[in-house]
Amino acid sequence: MQTKFITKVFPEGQNRLTAQLLLPVDCVILPLPHTPSDTQTRLPKQLEKLDQLLDGAIDSAISGKDFTGKVGETYLLSQQKSWKLKGIHAKRVLLVGLGEHTKVSDKTTENKLLTEYSKAARAALRVVMGTQSSSILWLLEQDLELKKESLHSLVIRQTIQLVEEATYRFGLRFKQFKTKPMEAPISLKSITLATTQKMEKQLKEFVRIGVAVAQGMSLSKDLGNLPPNYCTPSYLAKTAQSVGKEHALKVQVLERKEMEQLGMGAFLAVTQGSDHPPKFIIMHHLGGASKEAPIVIVGKGITFDTGGISLKPGEGMDEMKYDMCGAASVLGTMQAIAQMKLKKNVIGVIPTCENMPSGKATRPGDIVVTMSGQTVEILNTDAEGRLILCDALTYVERFRPKAVIDIATLTGACVIALGHVHTGLFSKNEHLVKALQHAGQATLDTVWHMPMDDAYQDQLKSNFADFANIGGRPAGSITAACYLSRFTHAYDWAHLDIAGTAWKSGAAKGATGRPVPLLTEYLMKE
Ligand code: BES
Ligand code: MN
Ligand code: ZN
């Protein structure tokens, strides 16, 4: 992200808004609450002064119903001669509707406020980007209950994430994949956040965290969007190593030989049709006490999923380059927590390979021995994510983790169940479920708790091995989670199926950076 976030103290009191408008920026973003249409309400006190300065522009926009303050509504005022006379240096003032005031009293109202704020901020950014404004003063003080510290932090994080979303362009970081350079680089150079003497230190801290999360998302998106002939298992391993170097993480990469010695029969069965060597990446962030048990996050890293011998249909198969988005979210999250110097022990684990058909590929019907010793009949080579994850889930037992969360673009069935709104959350651990639900609500990177009763386990029965790797079409995302659960008895565990939320299809095709915000918030709070 190239936009710089600057905090600036303005004196409290009557002349605060006036002082803010004197700042020579291209645009001031001024979020305002809804004004009911039936009442002849006068402008709020703090706006009266501003309205005078702007020659009554705000009052006339409101009374003429050009601006009513509905969520996401925008109204752009531009520099007039008279503004100059009064010494106003801002070139534009953008009014943005926040909707009716939400009093935050619990998680539900907090979520409502954040959702509405994010809609408003997104709309504001669209207008601002259209005007080619490069310096912004973002006034967050109206109506947002920012005195609540936790909410203030979430609003700032949301703002920075939306700026990242609005300015993200694929290829800027790594390589230009179009021969003609992509559209002119992003215009948003700086965003100033107004604050008070008392709050500045805290705001700076919130910005630091917000920028770390946004940059983690951006890394995660870049990796997802990279074509599969570039983003290979080796490329992911190299990226992990360079992230490690930059942010002081210990990174280990296991090669095929070591996986063989460990007995990762299921993982090796998936990679065996590919000419690219598999990698098993381990990233250690040791920010906590040396005796503190780590939280482990495990990301599915299939750099391309053809389905293997159970070949997928051709249409839309290119999107299976996104089958490493779990891995990308682990990399993005590890970078974010390392950059913010989180005082916790967190280990990121990424089993990564390609799923290809070939003369050497695994066949439907093959039986393999997993690292856990349990045998699996591979009835469908396209159910490969669970095969690489199960060995990774056994491997991480050695860390005696406090909790393990795996993140995977695991099943098309999860997309059918939840669409592109919520990530599927599977866990029988009440504490983990609550913690992840809260983290999702706080960051608007939401999850939905799915059932995982033992009754579903029956669908995995095999006549020839301990169990099969598929459970038929009914409840496909649940039986996938049930399969994984058989490898997680040594610790508290949750599984996130991000098949519907990790990327967008169609005209807006691209990775979303989810669930980096969810994971970082969870890790910060846990
Ligand atoms: N990577 C896919 C899941 C996927 C498919 C995610 C489409 C997003 C969009 C996974 O490896 C897969 O192929 N799963 C199969 C499982 C089935 C064979 C039991 C699926 O969902 O069809
Ligand atoms: Mn597959
Ligand atoms: Zn897959």
Side-chain angles (χ1 to χ4, degrees):
M1 196 172 51
Q2 291 167 327
T3 313
K4 265 189 87 170
F5 288 85
I6 302 161
T7 58
K8 187 167 170 56
V9 174
F10 288 94
E12 286 179 85
Q14 277 235 315
N15 294 323
R16 189 169 169 79
L17 259 171
T18 317
Q20 289 167 340
L21 287 191
L22 297 184
L23 202 69
V25 290
D26 292 334
C27 189
V28 176
I29 295 183
L30 182 61
L32 292 176
H34 177 65
T35 323
S37 58
D38 48 342
T39 48
Q40 280 289 334
T41 35
R42 299 214 7 232
L43 284 175
K45 255 249 145 55
Q46 74 271 36
L47 285 184
E48 257 172 26
K49 189 95 189 238
L50 175 73
D51 190 47
Q52 278 167 24
L53 277 172
L54 300 180
D55 307 323
I58 297 182
D59 189 43
S60 69
I62 290 176
S63 56
K65 308 268 187 299
D66 291 319
F67 180 81
T68 64
K70 272 197 276 230
V71 183
E73 197 183 4
T74 56
Y75 191 76
L76 187 65
L77 303 164
S78 300
Q79 175 74 256
Q80 315 273 320
K81 260 206 200 106
S82 63
W83 291 19
K84 274 224 178 75
L85 292 175
K86 290 172 202 147
I88 298 177
H89 287 103
K91 281 197 200 134
R92 305 174 185 87
V93 175
L94 179 66
L95 312 184
V96 188
L98 284 174
E100 251 140 72
H101 177 80
T102 305
K103 180 128 192 56
V104 175
S105 54
D106 56 10
K107 295 276 170 216
T108 313
T109 43
E110 177 184 279
N111 182 255
K112 179 167 179 281
L113 183 138
L114 281 168
T115 308
E116 291 179 351
Y117 170 71
S118 114
K119 200 172 161 198
R122 200 175 261 128
L125 280 165
R126 205 173 304 127
V127 176
V128 161
M129 297 288 286
T131 61
Q132 299 282 318
S133 297
S134 91
S135 57
I136 306 287
L137 172 63
W138 197 306
L139 299 178
L140 277 169
E141 306 164 316
Q142 317 288 331
D143 215 44
L144 277 171
E145 301 207 10
L146 297 185
K147 294 218 169 64
K148 289 201 178 81
E149 196 180 310
S150 61
L151 190 57
H152 192 184
S153 161
L154 295 176
V155 166
I156 296 298
R157 230 184 295 166
Q158 200 56 238
T159 308
I160 297 174
Q161 270 168 43
L162 290 167
V163 170
E164 191 276 337
E165 179 187 280
T167 57
Y168 176 81
R169 295 288 179 282
F170 170 64
L172 281 185
R173 186 199 306 253
F174 292 95
K175 187 179 165 66
Q176 291 283 350
F177 285 97
K178 299 199 192 213
T179 47
K180 287 206 188 111
M182 289 189 207
E183 49 191 287
I186 292 71
S187 59
L188 269 187
K189 288 223 174 64
S190 73
I191 295 184
T192 303
L193 300 165
T195 187
T196 59
Q197 202 109 53
K198 232 175 42 213
M199 304 239 283
E200 191 187 22
K201 199 167 154 231
Q202 199 180 47
L203 179 61
K204 278 210 158 96
E205 178 64 8
F206 296 158
V207 168
R208 199 176 67 81
I209 291 169
V211 168
V213 178
Q215 287 178 346
M217 287 175 83
S218 176
L219 169 64
S220 171
K221 284 191 206 179
D222 276 337
L223 291 172
N225 289 332
L226 272 172
N229 55 335
Y230 281 80
C231 186
T232 59
S234 306
Y235 187 88
L236 285 181
K238 264 190 272 164
T239 306
Q241 269 151 347
S242 67
V243 169
K245 250 205 192 113
E246 201 180 327
H247 299 283
L249 294 164
K250 193 180 103 195
V251 177
Q252 231 179 317
V253 179
L254 306 186
E255 306 292 333
R256 190 197 304 266
K257 258 246 162 64
E258 291 154 288
M259 299 173 209
E260 281 165 4
Q261 282 158 5
L262 286 163
M264 295 182 163
F267 181 10
L268 289 164
V270 177
T271 188
Q272 94 196 18
S274 166
D275 289 339
H276 286 290
K279 305 280 170 179
F280 193 92
I281 307 166
I282 307 140
M283 306 173 81
H284 303 257
H285 170 79
L286 302 172
S290 60
K291 283 209 187 102
E292 179 197 297
I295 298 176
V296 179
I297 52 178
V298 182
K300 171 180 172 183
I302 296 290
T303 58
F304 196 75
D305 181 11
T306 64
I309 297 299
S310 313
L311 194 64
K312 287 183 181 294
E315 201 186 316
M317 205 208 270
D318 68 288
E319 295 195 4
M320 281 300 113
K321 72 173 182 178
Y322 289 116
D323 213 16
M324 35 58 70
C325 281
S329 76
V330 168
L331 274 157
T333 302
M334 293 306 288
Q335 176 180 288
I337 60 165
Q339 189 174 324
M340 68 174 75
K341 301 203 160 57
L342 187 70
K343 291 195 173 68
K344 302 257 168 74
N345 295 334
V346 182
I347 299 175
V349 172
I350 297 170
T352 172
C353 69
E354 245 185 359
N355 187 20
M356 299 291 273
S358 93
K360 291 191 200 129
T362 294
R363 293 151 290 255
D366 282 1
I367 292 179
V368 295
V369 185
T370 64
M371 187 178 169
S372 72
Q374 302 176 98
T375 59
V376 176
E377 185 184 16
I378 300 177
L379 287 176
N380 190 322
T381 62
D382 198 10
E384 84 298 338
R386 61 198 80 179
L387 293 173
I388 69 169
L389 286 170
C390 72
D391 283 342
L393 289 171
T394 302
Y395 180 85
V396 303
E397 283 179 14
R398 68 191 54 209
F399 300 124
R400 303 197 178 287
K402 185 172 154 200
V404 177
I405 298 170
D406 78 76
I407 307 102
T409 48
L410 203 63
T411 65
C414 193
V415 189
I416 301 303
L418 298 175
H420 306 286
V421 178
H422 299 300
T423 290
L425 163 63
F426 303 79
S427 179
K428 285 187 173 178
N429 184 283
E430 253 176 68
H431 171 76
L432 268 177
V433 168
K434 281 223 174 78
L436 287 164
Q437 282 173 328
H438 283 161
Q441 283 219 324
T443 53
L444 305 183
D445 187 1
T446 51
V447 297
W448 194 263
H449 188 202
M450 300 281 283
M452 212 178 54
D453 310 56
D454 291 336
Y456 292 103
Q457 294 278 1
D458 296 345
Q459 287 173 237
L460 294 172
K461 273 197 180 130
S462 160
N463 286 354
F464 306 106
D466 293 346
F467 44 90
N469 75 327
I470 55 168
R473 286 189 25 111
S477 69
I478 302 173
T479 53
C482 285
Y483 173 94
L484 294 177
S485 75
R486 294 170 181 236
F487 301 84
T488 62
H489 298 304
Y491 44 72
D492 290 347
W493 165 74
H495 157 61
L496 297 172
D497 193 332
I498 56 168
T501 51
W503 77 91
K504 289 182 179 155
S505 310
K509 192 188 285 183
T512 59
R514 289 178 70 178
V516 171
L518 163 76
L519 290 170
T520 37
E521 169 70 8
Y522 162 76
L523 291 170
M524 283 163 65
K525 284 279 155 63
E526 192 66 318

